[in-house]
Amino acid sequence: MKDTMITMINRIHQWLSTCHWQLIMTIILLATSLNVAAEDFIYDGIAYQILPNESSSVEVTRSEDITYSGTITIPAKITYSSKTYQVKGIGDGAFLCCDKLLSVSLPNSCQQISDRAFYGCTSLKEIQFGNNLETIGNYSFHDCKSLTSITLPETIKSIGRACFKNCIGLRNIYVNAINPPVLSETAFLHSYNGTMKDQIVVYVPTGKADAYRNSDEWSTFTHIIDQSDNNNVLFSTIVEGDGKIVYNDHDYDKSETFPIISGSSITLQIKEGNDYSLSRLTLNDEDILPQVANNTIQIGPINQNMVLKAVFEKRKAYLTLCHNKNGNLQIDINEGQTVNLKINANDGWQIYSVTIDNEDVTSQVDKDNCIKIPKAKSGMSIRVVLEKNGQFSIWNADGVQTNCNIENPIIIPENALAADLTDILTPTVIPNANPNTIFLADNGTIMEEKLKGNNVVCDGYAKSIHLYDGNDVFIPYDIEAEEIEYHRFSPTNTGQKYSWETIFLPFSVDYITTSEGNEEIDWYRDKNDKDKDFWLCEWESTSDEGLQFNYANQWNANQPYLMAIPFTEYGTPHHLQDKELTFHANNKTLYHTEKAVQEMSPYSFHGILAKAELNDVYTLNAEKGIFELQAREEIDAFRAYFKNNQQDKPMSLPISGIADDIKNFNNDDISTINKNAFNPIIQQAYNLKGMRLPEEASSIHHGIIIQNKKKHVVK
């Protein structure tokens, strides 16, 4: 045990021997403060200790239960447990390291401030000492960096060692004592530049300036003036780095102070050293660098002591290396240095261009991909652009990705629905015949210019995407597009009042126009709006009567729909029939290709973007009014179909609900007409089941038929 203790002591000794003496002193001070006696009582949030041999006097003391903050006023007398005490002092370490303490007012009864009383109170801005203070102990206000001014009463007699050390903001000391108080030579020491006494102005009683200047303790202060002298103020300069402040043709290249007439203005010039520039300029800690013009600044009028701090830092010398993606690399160099740059391109890549300060120097790159830059200068910019030299990717209708060789020209294969041409700069590109092919590029390429009029996507964004019916499309990833258009001819009515078609798009539609006059058309939004030009319906459910649809009030991406162009109420073809329709979207997403499915047991509604041959699917029959089961069927792009995975499958799935609602005849309106007077060629007729009757009048049977939304009895 003894050996262990000796070893530990030796290690502590070795550690202490390597520490800075200030750190050791701080540790000792803080450790000693822990031995302060506990308080006798706490009154109004302040801890007190009764003074020895003075049963009616107390001092403020340290308490482990209290951390002082904000503004504190200490009373001259307090009454506790029916006894009155006079507050005569501030005890050892009473406010030690209370870094949130802002202001303290001491009573006139306070005669002494003990050692370390306010040590480390870094936020303390104001201290009022009272009129009867006599002594201030060692380290009492050490590190009180926020103090700017103090006033010592006439009764002050002594100021202890390092009392105001590191009070770096202190500029004015008002001493009211007729006789200079005893002052430790380290009381106002500035620990990191030793200039504190050059920057502090000491104001003393009228006629006592010489007494203070001749005092051994106070003579080290540069500026001691009578309190009645208001004609002069002091201007201090602090210069860091290689530079100077010039005033009246005098260079100030270090920390100096000179008097100026109060209320006057001064003009200063900034002189920067070789390879140095002014990086910071503050006046009483306030940034004034933006006020410097042509290395000159005017300050004033000046009515108080000022401290100007100028910081000069070495100019940065650097070489900037760029490439064809975002970002760059900066390297420190010496002015005039020769730089050898080797460009290492990975497999599948080659050098496209090298520029120095926007001048093309590609021809200077040797066979080993090296370039020599003589006499490099600060701020020089070198840009290297690399391009692919190997293969590029394409996607087919099934989404399978394959690679093709990069040649000049690049011929896009006919089966390619998307091609990745990112970082390919040199070759000519010959697109395939499919107008829906997607070309992926980036902002560093010129593909948009080479493929003008095609679907070019730069870094996931496209200005315009045009898709045409009858052509397949594959979208490799989500694309943000400023404009999307899908072109398709409107359905040809088969003679029924409603002739459905399926539609499936990878974007949400904003509006629809026709090819003639760019006329905007409406689709069904409410079942009572029978005069709309376009019907859009979405699948809701399946019942015994067939597939139940309802009118869609918006068009969602990757969702299959039914659509139709109706006949007029008179049975004549609609004016939109066989016209080209354009489906528009602005600032929308073109979604990555996937098979959209609406599941609703036992059926599912699928949409596709590329022509496919499928087994056991339900597609619209020739009359486009019913979904019929097909053993094998070829389905075009932008279309949809139904699937049923049950063993027993019905042969057809009629469209009910929405179709019945569209017929919407009036059961109460029945008229009787003669068969010979009935002309179904002019006015189309239907039976009670909604089926269209033959056009020849002779084929009309006797019975009840529907004509022009009315029931008629044919005799």
Side-chain angles (χ1 to χ4, degrees):
M1 180 67 179
K2 180 178 180 181
D3 293 340
T4 302
M5 290 297 295
I6 293 173
T7 301
M8 185 178 297
I9 292 171
N10 288 336
R11 289 180 178 175
I12 294 174
H13 175 74
Q14 291 173 1
W15 177 76
L16 289 175
S17 67
T18 62
C19 292
H20 194 282
W21 67 270
Q22 289 181 325
L23 176 60
I24 298 173
M25 182 60 70
T26 301
I27 294 172
I28 293 173
L29 288 170
L30 294 177
T32 306
S33 71
L34 297 177
N35 294 324
V36 176
E39 72 276 2
D40 289 321
F41 59 86
I42 296 175
Y43 178 81
D44 199 16
I46 300 175
Y48 295 94
Q49 183 181 17
I50 300 173
L51 294 175
N53 304 321
E54 294 188 49
S55 60
S56 60
S57 299
V58 294
E59 66 178 7
V60 178
T61 189
R62 178 176 173 79
S63 173
E64 297 297 334
D65 299 325
I66 301 175
T67 299
Y68 299 101
S69 63
T71 298
I72 293 179
T73 299
I74 299 173
K77 292 183 179 181
I78 57 174
T79 301
Y80 181 78
S81 295
S82 302
K83 185 174 182 178
T84 300
Y85 299 91
Q86 187 178 39
V87 180
K88 284 193 173 183
I90 307 299
D92 192 343
F95 296 92
L96 181 70
C97 294
C98 292
D99 57 2
K100 295 183 180 180
L101 187 64
L102 302 178
S103 174
V104 176
S105 178
L106 305 182
N108 292 333
S109 60
C110 182
Q111 299 175 3
Q112 175 180 315
I113 298 176
S114 299
D115 295 349
R116 300 160 298 185
F118 296 91
Y119 185 107
C121 293
T122 55
S123 300
L124 183 65
K125 295 181 179 180
E126 183 181 9
I127 177 73
Q128 296 181 11
F129 291 111
N131 295 332
N132 292 293
L133 183 67
E134 296 181 358
T135 62
I136 303 177
N138 301 329
Y139 304 98
S140 293
F141 293 91
H142 187 294
D143 269 343
C144 290
K145 300 177 181 180
S146 299
L147 281 177
T148 58
S149 177
I150 57 173
T151 300
L152 300 173
E154 185 178 350
T155 55
I156 191 70
K157 295 180 180 179
S158 65
I159 300 173
R161 183 175 65 256
C163 179
F164 293 94
K165 180 180 177 181
N166 280 354
C167 292
I168 59 176
L170 194 58
R171 295 290 177 264
N172 300 299
I173 302 175
Y174 296 88
V175 187
N176 293 318
I178 301 299
N179 298 316
V182 177
L183 178 68
S184 167
E185 65 179 53
T186 63
F188 293 92
L189 181 66
H190 197 313
S191 67
Y192 47 84
N193 63 23
T195 61
M196 197 163 173
K197 292 184 179 180
D198 295 333
Q199 299 166 26
I200 293 177
V201 181
V202 179
Y203 296 90
V204 299
T206 302
K208 296 298 178 180
D210 288 340
Y212 275 80
R213 291 170 186 151
N214 296 328
S215 166
D216 291 340
E217 294 88 353
W218 294 88
S219 61
T220 56
F221 282 91
T222 305
H223 311 292
I224 298 177
I225 61 176
D226 285 351
Q227 293 185 18
S228 59
D229 183 3
N230 296 319
N231 294 324
N232 293 319
V233 293
L234 299 174
F235 195 89
S236 300
T237 62
I238 301 175
V239 177
E240 295 182 1
D242 190 357
K244 298 176 181 179
I245 301 294
V246 181
Y247 172 62
N248 284 347
D249 296 326
H250 178 74
D251 294 344
Y252 295 88
D253 58 358
K254 58 180 181 179
S255 298
E256 299 184 43
T257 301
F258 52 89
I260 60 174
I261 298 174
S262 178
S264 64
S265 299
I266 62 176
T267 300
L268 304 176
Q269 287 185 321
I270 312 295
K271 282 189 176 181
E272 299 173 329
N274 292 332
D275 297 327
Y276 278 78
S277 60
L278 181 66
S279 63
R280 293 194 302 278
L281 187 68
T282 59
L283 187 65
N284 284 359
D285 296 326
E286 181 180 348
D287 182 23
I288 59 170
L289 184 59
Q291 301 175 29
V292 177
N294 299 321
N295 290 334
T296 303
I297 186 169
Q298 186 174 27
I299 300 175
I302 302 174
N303 296 304
Q304 60 176 326
N305 298 332
M306 293 281 190
V307 177
L308 179 79
K309 184 174 182 179
V311 178
F312 297 89
E313 293 183 349
K314 192 174 181 65
R315 289 191 184 95
K316 302 293 184 183
Y318 59 87
L319 186 70
T320 302
L321 301 179
C322 308
H323 56 87
N324 49 311
K325 298 295 183 182
N326 293 330
N328 59 62
L329 179 67
Q330 290 186 349
I331 303 175
D332 287 339
I333 60 170
N334 294 323
E335 200 79 24
Q337 177 182 346
T338 297
V339 177
N340 292 308
L341 181 66
K342 181 173 176 58
I343 304 168
N344 294 318
N346 294 331
D347 290 341
W349 291 79
Q350 66 181 3
I351 298 172
Y352 176 73
S353 66
V354 180
T355 56
I356 298 180
D357 291 340
N358 296 322
E359 180 183 353
D360 192 344
V361 295
T362 311
S363 60
Q364 300 177 26
V365 179
D366 63 23
K367 61 182 179 60
D368 296 321
N369 288 347
C370 293
I371 184 171
K372 180 179 288 188
I373 306 166
K375 296 183 179 180
K377 60 183 179 181
S378 179
M380 178 180 285
S381 176
I382 301 175
R383 182 176 179 83
V384 177
V385 178
L386 302 177
E387 70 166 344
K388 285 182 181 177
N389 178 30
Q391 295 183 321
F392 68 98
S393 297
I394 64 170
W395 289 264
N396 65 15
D398 295 325
V400 177
Q401 187 174 359
T402 56
N403 292 327
C404 300
N405 292 329
I406 297 176
E407 299 173 345
N408 196 2
I410 292 178
I411 301 175
I412 304 300
E414 288 302 319
N415 68 326
L417 299 187
D420 185 1
L421 304 179
T422 306
D423 294 309
I424 301 176
L425 309 177
T426 305
T428 300
V429 179
I430 301 177
N432 57 17
N434 186 353
N436 292 349
T437 302
I438 303 291
F439 297 94
L440 307 178
D442 63 1
N443 289 332
T445 70
I446 55 175
M447 284 301 167
E448 279 194 297
E449 185 64 29
K450 290 182 177 182
L451 292 167
K452 188 174 293 184
N454 290 273
N455 297 326
V456 179
V457 180
C458 288
D459 291 334
Y461 173 82
K463 291 181 180 178
S464 180
I465 296 289
H466 287 260
L467 304 176
Y468 295 87
D469 197 50
N471 299 277
D472 296 341
V473 65
F474 179 82
I475 305 158
Y477 52 74
D478 289 354
I479 297 168
E480 299 301 319
E482 187 174 326
E483 175 191 66
I484 307 174
E485 291 184 359
Y486 166 62
H487 303 269
R488 176 168 172 171
F489 278 92
S490 63
T492 298
N493 202 297
T494 61
Q496 296 195 35
K497 191 171 184 179
Y498 49 98
S499 295
W500 301 112
E501 284 194 2
T502 58
I503 186 167
F504 171 74
L505 296 177
F507 62 93
S508 56
V509 177
D510 290 330
Y511 61 97
I512 307 172
T513 61
T514 66
S515 57
E516 296 181 1
N518 209 29
E519 174 191 5
E520 186 171 341
I521 65 175
D522 292 328
W523 62 76
Y524 255 119
R525 294 184 181 276
D526 185 271
K527 65 181 182 179
N528 296 318
D529 296 332
K530 297 298 186 297
D531 57 346
K532 295 293 179 74
D533 299 320
F534 186 85
W535 296 342
L536 182 71
C537 302
E538 56 187 340
W539 181 43
E540 281 196 333
S541 62
T542 304
S543 70
D544 294 337
E545 298 175 355
L547 301 170
Q548 300 289 322
F549 284 84
N550 199 2
Y551 308 100
N553 56 14
Q554 63 182 10
W555 199 312
N556 296 320
N558 284 352
Q559 180 174 334
Y561 291 96
L562 280 183
M563 69 173 185
I565 299 295
F567 264 39
T568 66
E569 61 180 335
Y570 303 108
T572 58
H574 196 282
H575 75 285
L576 294 178
Q577 185 173 320
D578 298 327
K579 299 287 178 61
E580 183 180 339
L581 302 181
T582 302
F583 300 76
H584 299 265
N586 295 324
N587 298 313
K588 292 291 178 65
T589 301
L590 189 70
Y591 287 98
H592 168 60
T593 297
E594 60 182 359
K595 290 185 177 179
V597 179
Q598 279 188 277
E599 297 286 356
M600 196 173 292
S601 180
Y603 299 98
S604 54
F605 200 14
H606 301 251
I608 60 174
L609 294 177
K611 182 180 290 187
E613 195 167 329
L614 304 173
N615 297 327
D616 293 330
V617 293
Y618 288 90
T619 60
L620 282 168
N621 63 356
E623 287 75 26
K624 299 183 179 179
I626 193 169
F627 282 86
E628 291 183 338
L629 180 62
Q630 309 293 337
R632 187 163 184 81
E633 183 77 358
E634 187 176 69
I635 302 172
D636 288 335
F638 307 105
R639 303 300 193 274
Y641 60 90
F642 275 90
K643 193 81 173 170
N644 181 1
N645 294 322
Q646 296 184 135
Q647 288 185 347
D648 296 328
K649 301 179 178 66
M651 294 307 296
S652 63
L653 299 173
I655 300 171
S656 62
I658 190 75
D660 295 335
D661 180 62
I662 291 171
K663 282 182 285 190
N664 193 29
F665 52 77
N666 189 338
N667 291 324
D668 297 327
D669 188 5
I670 300 179
S671 62
T672 301
I673 61 176
N674 187 283
K675 172 183 176 182
N676 296 327
F678 179 71
N679 187 354
I681 298 177
I682 299 175
Q683 300 290 340
Q684 183 62 57
Y686 299 82
N687 62 24
L688 286 179
K689 293 183 178 180
M691 300 299 293
R692 181 180 176 181
L693 296 175
E695 294 184 356
E696 295 78 11
S698 59
S699 64
I700 299 294
H701 299 283
H702 297 284
I704 298 176
I705 64 170
I706 302 169
Q707 182 185 43
N708 196 18
K709 297 184 180 179
K710 295 182 179 180
K711 288 183 180 180
H712 302 276
V713 178
V714 180
K715 297 182 178 179

